[in-house]
Amino acid sequence: MGDQKESLRKITHTLAVKNEEISNFACTLKQSLDNLEANSNRVHEDLDSEFNALHSVLDELKENMTTRIKQERASRTYELQSQLSACSKALESSEELLELANQTLCSSETDGFTQAAKDIKDSVTMAPAFRLSLKAKASDNMSHLMVDFSQEREMLQGIKFLPVPATPEIQLSECQVCDNTVAVVWTLPEVDTKIDHYILEHRRTNHEGPPRIREDYPWMVVEGIRELEHTLTGLRFDTRYITFRVRACNKAVAGEFSEPVTLETHAFNFKLDGGSSHQNLKVEDLSVEWDSTGGKVQEIRKEKNRPTNSPMHSPARTALMSPKRAPSARPGRDRFTAESYTVLADTIIDAGQHYWEVRFDKESKAFAVGVALRSLGRFDQLGKSGASWCIHLNNWLQQSLTAKHNNKARTLDCSIPARIGVYCNYEEGVLSFFDAKTKQLMHTFKTKFQQPVIPAFMVWNGTFSVVTGLQVPSVVQSGQRKNSGTSSSNASLT
């Protein structure tokens, strides 16, 4: 009995599920019918509108051409009638002179003949008939206003519904990734004058190859593109790749998406290691705020989900920058304490070139940005030992900006920017600081890193936030190549 009930329950559940599926499908069909009715009405209205517009153009064209014919006829009629009237008057005058001359010849009087003949001669000389042009001023030929609409009729007979636009093809070899900007270029199989615009979609991903059914990030849409290329600027590259696809649209319909193309986006990404920061610092991913009470309360939320204890995963692994050494696992470090108001990144640098930026409060009592070795002591302040290099802003008593390393300082003769860019070339042992807006070089350390380094920050009575996911700017790279091999004026600090 129990087995039968269980079997019946399963049948009941299956029927309920099937009924729900059918009900949902029926709702979908009803919605499709409603959509069909609405869409049919819309395209019918569009068809009427287009034909009315076409009729309007033809009617206007016919009216203009008819007016031209009427004007031409009126002008020529006036010219010909004027000539005809002049001919009539000249003929009348000539007939009168002819009658007078015949009468004079037939007259038997001899006394006045000589004078009469002279008068007739003078009248003939001045007669309109001899001053009248016998060439028509206007032609009766109107063939220059004839029309032949055979080609236009063929074109009108070729009117049809708009075709679906062809599928574009993204030209991978012409696409460029540089300075957190991506230029995407595509082509069409053939010219299509009916295309109104293109829609470009892009999606971040950490997986190479075609898009998967389930991705961590949604498609982002760029509409209204009129050209066969588009440049996306101001991107933050916080994944290894970006996938692109594009489709063409005419007035009525959008075509199929192109085959997706995945472009690699090398960039340096990290977060701040709140687990080892000074107790007076409130750390929130990439932002830090000074907390004078020292009672920092925050969740240890993402650290537990990291693949290794901070700061142990390397961009050399994830960005494929040909690492020569991989960091060995070790337990998380102790918090910074005393006057070392320091926080480190959670990602080490052990290979390659990297760049990041930091915005900071210029009114902070003290602020520093740079890199440090993993062995930096929990009591060590940035720049006061051989384990760290930094630029230091001091607003205590008077404002100063200095480059610090191994407890040596050099005052920098430059204005304090709103945002500082940091460039690190691990193999070359170069650490440079820039005005992030103008890319003006502020200072360069030249050294030889004996072990991996970590982005490091310090703030006292202030705030700052870090911008990651940035590529090394091309102007920075070209400047470093230009300055390579030259002597450094900052050698005393390295």
Side-chain angles (χ1 to χ4, degrees), residues 12 36 38 41 51 85 156 168 186 230 260 267 293-295 301 313 318 323 360 365 383 436 453 460 472:
T12 303
L36 177 62
N41 292 335
F51 270 100
S85 176
L156 289 174
W186 58 89
H230 186 72
T293 64
R301 53 200 178 282
H313 62 284
T318 57
F360 59 96
K365 290 297 183 182
V453 294
W460 177 41
V472 179

Side-chain angles (χ1 to χ4, degrees), residues 87-248:
C87 286
S88 298
K89 292 180 180 180
L91 183 60
E92 182 180 354
S93 174
S94 179
E95 287 178 347
E96 290 177 355
L97 286 174
L98 180 61
E99 184 179 356
L100 179 61
N102 288 331
Q103 290 177 357
T104 301
L105 288 173
C106 296
S107 175
S108 59
E109 298 180 3
T110 58
D111 295 339
F113 180 81
T114 303
Q115 184 61 41
K118 183 179 182 302
D119 291 341
I120 291 173
K121 180 181 179 182
D122 291 342
S123 297
V124 169
T125 302
M126 299 300 295
F130 292 93
R131 293 183 287 111
L132 181 69
S133 173
L134 298 181
K135 182 179 180 181
K137 291 184 178 180
S139 171
D140 60 352
N141 188 348
M142 295 288 283
S143 60
H144 66 291
L145 295 179
M146 296 290 290
V147 295
D148 179 8
F149 290 153
S150 57
Q151 291 184 349
E152 286 77 3
R153 278 196 297 273
E154 290 181 5
M155 183 177 66
L156 289 174
Q157 289 170 353
I159 290 178
K160 59 185 67 175
F161 293 107
L162 280 172
V164 176
T167 303
E169 181 180 357
I170 297 178
Q171 301 300 311
L172 182 59
S173 61
E174 297 185 34
C175 297
Q176 294 184 349
V177 180
C178 181
D179 292 339
N180 286 85
T181 295
V182 180
V184 186
V185 181
W186 58 89
T187 57
L188 288 172
E190 57 186 18
V191 176
D192 186 351
T193 58
K194 298 294 186 181
I195 289 180
D196 180 70
H197 65 278
Y198 299 90
I199 296 176
L200 177 67
E201 295 189 353
H202 58 97
R203 178 164 65 183
R204 296 175 293 163
T205 180
N206 284 309
H207 304 280
E208 190 175 10
R212 304 181 305 169
I213 296 177
R214 292 184 178 180
E215 286 282 358
D216 297 330
Y217 302 95
W219 287 104
M220 307 301 291
V221 182
V222 182
E223 296 183 320
I225 302 172
R226 304 293 179 181
E227 305 296 333
L228 291 170
E229 61 181 86
H230 186 72
T231 301
L232 296 168
T233 60
L235 299 175
R236 180 170 177 259
F237 293 159
D238 55 358
T239 57
R240 293 179 63 190
Y241 307 96
I242 297 182
T243 300
F244 294 89
R245 65 184 185 183
V246 64
R247 62 177 172 178

Side-chain angles (χ1 to χ4, degrees), residues 97 208 223 310-311 336 355 390 411 430:
L97 286 174
E208 190 175 10
E223 296 183 320
S310 68
F336 289 97
Y355 179 84
C390 72
T411 301
V430 172

Side-chain angles (χ1 to χ4, degrees), residues 425-490:
N425 186 328
Y426 186 83
E427 284 80 7
E428 297 294 329
V430 172
L431 179 67
S432 296
F433 299 86
F434 297 85
D435 182 326
K437 182 178 181 180
T438 65
K439 299 302 183 289
Q440 180 69 37
L441 178 64
M442 300 170 62
H443 184 78
T444 294
F445 291 103
K446 297 195 72 174
T447 184
K448 184 175 182 180
F449 298 122
Q450 301 293 338
Q451 55 182 289
V453 294
I454 310 170
F457 308 87
M458 183 278 294
V459 67
W460 177 41
N461 282 344
T463 62
F464 71 87
S465 62
V466 183
V467 182
T468 67
L470 303 178
Q471 294 184 307
V472 179
S474 55
V475 65
V476 170
Q477 283 187 322
S478 61
Q480 294 300 315
R481 287 193 297 266
K482 182 178 179 181
N483 295 328
S484 64
T486 61
S487 60
S488 173
S489 60
N490 308 312

Side-chain angles (χ1 to χ4, degrees), residues 169-385:
E169 181 180 357
I170 297 178
Q171 301 300 311
L172 182 59
S173 61
E174 297 185 34
C175 297
Q176 294 184 349
V177 180
C178 181
D179 292 339
N180 286 85
T181 295
V182 180
V184 186
V185 181
W186 58 89
T187 57
L188 288 172
E190 57 186 18
V191 176
D192 186 351
T193 58
K194 298 294 186 181
I195 289 180
D196 180 70
H197 65 278
Y198 299 90
I199 296 176
L200 177 67
E201 295 189 353
H202 58 97
R203 178 164 65 183
R204 296 175 293 163
T205 180
N206 284 309
H207 304 280
E208 190 175 10
R212 304 181 305 169
I213 296 177
R214 292 184 178 180
E215 286 282 358
D216 297 330
Y217 302 95
W219 287 104
M220 307 301 291
V221 182
V222 182
E223 296 183 320
I225 302 172
R226 304 293 179 181
E227 305 296 333
L228 291 170
E229 61 181 86
H230 186 72
T231 301
L232 296 168
T233 60
L235 299 175
R236 180 170 177 259
F237 293 159
D238 55 358
T239 57
R240 293 179 63 190
Y241 307 96
I242 297 182
T243 300
F244 294 89
R245 65 184 185 183
V246 64
R247 62 177 172 178
C249 306
N250 55 32
K251 180 183 176 182
V253 66
E256 295 294 328
F257 275 110
S258 65
E259 285 295 322
V261 168
T262 299
L263 301 178
E264 195 167 11
T265 52
H266 286 308
F268 185 38
N269 285 281
F270 63 84
K271 285 185 169 55
L272 299 177
D273 181 22
S276 63
S277 63
H278 193 282
Q279 192 73 23
N280 285 95
L281 302 182
K282 287 184 177 179
V283 180
E284 181 69 28
D285 286 342
L286 291 171
S287 299
V288 174
E289 180 182 0
W290 167 263
D291 179 11
S292 60
T293 64
K296 182 176 68 174
V297 179
Q298 60 181 2
E299 296 178 322
I300 310 300
R301 53 200 178 282
K302 298 181 181 178
E303 284 73 6
K304 294 182 179 180
N305 297 326
R306 296 194 182 279
T308 58
N309 289 332
S310 68
M312 288 304 107
H313 62 284
S314 166
R317 292 179 180 177
T318 57
L320 300 180
M321 295 233 179
S322 61
K324 296 182 180 178
R325 107 182 44 163
S328 58
R330 72 170 208 178
R333 61 175 298 135
D334 294 332
R335 284 189 179 277
F336 289 97
T337 188
E339 295 184 358
S340 181
Y341 303 114
T342 303
V343 58
L344 302 178
D346 65 353
T347 304
I348 65 171
I349 298 174
D350 58 6
Q353 302 179 56
H354 307 282
Y355 179 84
W356 62 97
E357 294 180 355
V358 57
R359 299 183 180 94
F360 59 96
D361 181 5
K362 290 185 179 182
E363 301 303 318
S364 301
K365 290 297 183 182
F367 169 78
V369 57
V371 299
L373 303 180
R374 289 186 294 165
S375 59
L376 182 69
R378 61 194 295 257
F379 295 96
D380 291 344
Q381 299 180 36
L382 292 185
K384 290 196 173 183
S385 71

Side-chain angles (χ1 to χ4, degrees), residues 25-70:
F25 182 61
C27 291
T28 301
L29 290 177
K30 291 179 181 178
Q31 185 63 48
S32 296
L33 286 171
D34 293 340
N35 293 342
L36 177 62
E37 182 70 18
N39 292 334
S40 298
N41 292 335
R42 179 179 61 83
V43 296
H44 191 272
E45 291 174 0
D46 287 346
L47 182 66
D48 286 341
S49 176
E50 287 294 331
F51 270 100
N52 289 337
L54 188 59
H55 290 154
S56 176
V57 170
L58 291 174
D59 289 341
E60 183 179 356
L61 183 61
K62 179 181 178 181
E63 182 179 353
N64 291 338
M65 297 180 77
T66 300
T67 301
R68 172 74 186 281
I69 293 174
K70 289 180 179 180

